[in-house]
Amino acid sequence: MAVAKKDQERVTYAWMYGAQARKDGKERGVPEYWQEFADAWLQGFDGVPIAGTGKAKPVSDQMEAEVDEAGVSKS
């Protein structure tokens, strides 16, 4: 099934926000804002790869530490 580019971007963002919610220790419930893309959000939360890419990998804790606020703020 073909998906419009704009919709595919939204699916990707929903997946990323779901994955981040899991890392932040939030509940599995889909926020109201993401209801239209609930499947993608839940797949991200559950760590399921984005359909069709096979390349999606979660951000490692090391990478997250490297780009935290202290890592990107000016001294």
Side-chain angles (χ1 to χ4, degrees):
M1 177 174 108
V3 177
K5 184 176 179 179
K6 189 173 187 179
D7 285 342
Q8 184 58 48
E9 289 175 0
R10 290 179 180 159
V11 166
T12 301
Y13 278 112
W15 185 92
M16 290 187 320
Y17 276 89
Q20 187 61 47
R22 178 179 38 110
K23 289 180 91 174
D24 292 344
K26 296 186 179 179
E27 293 184 24
R28 189 174 184 273
V30 179
E32 185 176 328
Y33 182 81
W34 291 112
Q35 287 300 315
E36 184 178 355
F37 301 101
D39 289 342
W41 195 95
L42 290 171
Q43 288 177 351
F45 192 92
D46 295 339
V48 176
I50 296 176
T53 63
K55 299 178 187 177
K57 295 181 182 175
V59 175
S60 72
D61 292 335
Q62 179 182 356
M63 175 63 178
E64 194 168 303
E66 290 174 6
V67 294
D68 67 1
E69 187 174 335
V72 295
S73 65
K74 293 183 179 181
S75 300

